[in-house]
């Protein structure tokens, strides 16, 4: 409910990422984690376009994107590639 208020406070270099820790099949009866795919919504006041991101091979892209946004190198041996170039 407060998302609209938050958006008005974001600076041009802020990056808002909204996701979940798992996906669930809406046709499945029960609460078990039934999908590996999770939603990812990305917003920044500096972004001028919009669209759908390609499916990624790991949840690690989120951490890599956060690190890239702050100019921090990913630790050696970690997985995930930044999505920042897709937002330009």
């Amino acid at each position: 409910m407060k998302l609209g208020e938050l958006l008005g406070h974001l600076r041009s270099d802020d990056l808002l990422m909204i996701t979940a820790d798992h996906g669930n099949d809406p046709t499945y009866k029960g609460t078990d984690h039934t999908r590996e795919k999770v939603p990812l919504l990305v917003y920044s006041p500096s972004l001028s376009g919009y669209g759908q991101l390609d499916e990624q091979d790991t949840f690690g892209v989120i951490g890599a994107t956060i690190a890239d946004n702050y100019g921090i190198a990913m630790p050696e041996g970690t997985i995930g590639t930044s999505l920042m170039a897709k937002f330009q």
Side-chain angles (χ1 to χ4, degrees):
M1 296 283 223
K2 298 290 187 174
L3 183 58
E5 291 179 34
L6 171 65
L7 295 178
H9 292 284
L10 294 178
R11 299 178 306 246
S12 64
D13 61 343
D14 286 335
L15 182 66
L16 175 65
M17 300 175 79
I18 300 173
T19 189
D21 67 341
H22 65 276
N24 277 35
D25 184 341
T27 65
Y28 178 80
K29 303 275 191 247
T31 59
D32 292 340
H33 299 181
T34 56
R35 291 189 180 169
E36 296 176 0
K37 297 177 184 181
V38 296
L40 174 62
L41 301 173
V42 179
Y43 173 78
S44 175
S46 65
L47 298 177
S48 59
Y50 62 91
Q52 184 171 335
L53 293 169
D54 295 332
E55 186 173 315
Q56 303 298 308
D57 60 348
T58 175
F59 206 54
V61 299
I62 295 173
T65 302
I66 292 168
D68 190 15
N69 188 58
Y70 285 105
I72 300 169
M74 289 290 289
E76 188 175 327
T78 57
I79 62 172
T81 304
S82 173
L83 300 173
M84 289 299 293
K86 296 183 181 292
F87 306 149
Q88 309 303 323

